[in-house]
């Protein structure tokens, strides 16, 4: 009887051990088998902080270039400060505003009232001087890509004191795509009939009528070029005193006329 009781107790203990082992095996993770790949939780889609709806990508857009500022100094002398802060002097002679260090100096021809480069005493490192000599090479008018401005030389001359091989005009195009045309000293040129395609914004036409075209011919040239704004300049042959003639400027009979007095600034926009 005692042995039977001991055997019964032993059988009961074995059953308890078996049941306990099964319970533990159900709690253990299952082993991967074969080639099945283990799947990691997709934190991008499961975490609401990383859903596509909650992600905002900042777009940094480059601001549009601003306008250049043009100062008319009288006669054919112009100073331009670009949106990048670059300073351009054209035909230095008239006026006194030459205090800003130059990055570019443009000269249309050699006559004294267009070529006083010594007035530009302050010059930044790398300042370029472009004259008619560089602008016309082997009879071909050159274009200069300078980063802050594109300078395209065009024809000027066609009269007894201004030879087409020794004179140029310039079309300057700035980073905002606006353009300025300065004729320099000239009569009507063959190229002007084609310049309408350039869609020039501001055009300066010499009008003195003594060594260049007068008001009537200048108006004809303005009609050919077709600029949005037509500005009379180089209206006197005086070597002293004011280099501007308001009365003559008001006789410049063209559409889209814009009178800019000496010492006045305009925005090229």
């Amino acid at each position: 009887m005692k042995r039977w009781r001991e055997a019964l107790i032993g059988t009961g203990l074995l059953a308890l051990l078996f049941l306990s082992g099964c319970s533990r095996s159900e709690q253990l993770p299952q082993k991967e088998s074969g080639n099945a790949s283990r799947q990691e939780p997709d934190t991008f889609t499961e975490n609401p902080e990383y859903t596509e709806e909650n992600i905002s990508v900042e777009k940094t857009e480059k601001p549009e270039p601003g306008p250049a500022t043009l100062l008319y100094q009288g006669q054919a002398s112009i100073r331009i400060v670009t949106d990048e802060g670059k300073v351009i002097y054209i035909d230095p002679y008239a006026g006194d505003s030459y205090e800003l260090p130059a990055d570019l100096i443009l000269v249309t021809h050699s006559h004294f009232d267009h070529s006083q480069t010594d007035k530009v005493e302050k010059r930044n490192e790398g300042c370029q001087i472009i004259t008619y000599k560089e602008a016309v090479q082997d009879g071909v008018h050159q274009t200069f890509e300078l980063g802050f401005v594109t300078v395209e030389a065009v024809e000027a001359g066609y009269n007894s004191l201004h030879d087409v091989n020794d004179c140029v005009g310039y079309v300057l195009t700035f980073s905002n795509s606006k353009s300025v045309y300065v004729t320099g000293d000239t009569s009507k040129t063959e190229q002007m009939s084609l310049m309408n395609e350039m869609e020039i914004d501001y055009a300066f036409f010499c009008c003195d009528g003594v060594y260049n075209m007068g008001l009537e011919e200048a108006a004809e040239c303005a009609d050919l070029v077709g600029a949005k704004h037509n500005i009379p300049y180089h209206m006197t042959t005086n070597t002293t005193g004011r280099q501007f003639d308001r009365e003559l400027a008001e006789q410049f009979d063209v559409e889209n006329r814009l009178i800019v007095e000496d010492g006045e600034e305009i925005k090229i926009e």
Side-chain angles (χ1 to χ4, degrees), residues 232-248:
Y233 85 148
H234 202 295
M235 292 168 283
T236 175
T237 58
N238 294 339
T239 58
T240 59
R242 189 179 183 188
Q243 305 293 302
F244 178 80
D245 188 332
R246 177 80 193 193
E247 183 179 353
L248 192 68

Side-chain angles (χ1 to χ4, degrees), residues 4-259:
W4 181 84
R5 188 180 298 164
E6 291 175 350
L8 185 61
I9 292 171
T11 301
L13 290 173
L14 287 172
L16 287 171
L17 289 171
F18 176 79
L19 292 172
S20 176
C22 289
S23 176
R24 289 181 61 193
S25 66
E26 290 175 358
Q27 297 175 8
L28 292 175
Q30 298 295 320
K31 280 189 175 183
E32 297 175 357
S33 60
N35 295 326
S37 60
R38 186 182 178 193
Q39 295 183 352
E40 293 291 338
D42 190 346
T43 57
F44 183 82
T45 56
E46 291 180 3
N47 191 332
E49 295 182 358
Y50 294 96
T51 58
E52 291 185 9
E53 291 78 5
N54 294 333
I55 292 178
S56 61
V57 179
E58 291 187 7
K59 296 181 179 180
T60 56
E61 296 182 357
K62 187 176 180 181
E64 291 293 326
T69 301
L70 183 150
L71 169 67
Y72 175 50
Q73 304 213 62
Q75 196 67 335
S77 302
I78 292 170
R79 186 189 74 188
I80 298 173
V81 180
T82 72
D83 181 55
E84 298 85 353
K86 301 293 186 179
V87 178
I88 305 168
Y89 291 99
I90 304 173
D91 283 352
Y93 167 68
D96 299 314
S97 297
Y98 294 94
E99 69 281 356
L100 298 180
D103 295 285
L104 175 64
I105 303 172
L106 300 175
V107 176
T108 59
H109 64 291
S110 63
H111 289 173
F112 75 95
D113 57 336
H114 295 259
S115 59
Q116 301 300 306
T117 56
D118 289 344
K119 295 198 73 168
V120 188
E121 296 180 357
K122 298 179 181 179
R123 303 178 189 183
N124 287 321
E125 184 177 354
C127 175
Q128 291 183 255
I129 300 177
I130 298 174
T131 74
Y132 57 95
K133 294 179 181 179
E134 293 78 29
V136 182
Q137 297 289 319
D138 298 324
V140 178
H141 289 72
Q142 304 296 304
T143 298
F144 304 87
E145 299 281 356
L146 304 178
F148 58 93
V149 67
T150 298
V151 179
E152 183 175 351
V154 295
E155 287 185 337
Y158 288 92
N159 60 51
S160 61
L161 291 180
H162 300 96
D163 188 279
V164 69
N165 296 308
D166 297 323
C167 299
V168 294
Y170 293 110
V171 177
L172 293 81
T173 304
F174 303 98
S175 54
N176 65 348
S177 299
K178 301 301 181 180
S179 55
V180 171
Y181 168 41
V182 294
T183 62
D185 282 4
T186 191
S187 297
K188 184 172 67 173
T189 73
E190 295 179 359
Q191 189 179 6
M192 284 179 182
S193 61
L194 305 174
M195 291 182 67
N196 189 279
E197 299 176 0
M198 300 176 75
E199 298 183 345
I200 292 167
D201 294 288
Y202 297 81
F204 286 78
F205 294 94
C206 60
C207 298
D208 65 53
V210 178
Y211 301 109
N212 298 298
M213 56 191 177
L215 290 168
E216 185 176 342
E217 187 177 4
E220 182 184 352
C221 293
D223 184 60
L224 289 173
V225 173
K228 294 178 182 177
H229 304 281
N230 296 305
I231 305 170
Y233 85 148
H234 202 295
M235 292 168 283
T236 175
T237 58
N238 294 339
T239 58
T240 59
R242 189 179 183 188
Q243 305 293 302
F244 178 80
D245 188 332
R246 177 80 193 193
E247 183 179 353
L248 192 68
E250 291 177 348
Q251 296 176 44
F252 184 45
D253 186 15
V254 295
E255 291 186 4
N256 304 317
R257 184 186 70 188
L258 175 63
I259 296 178

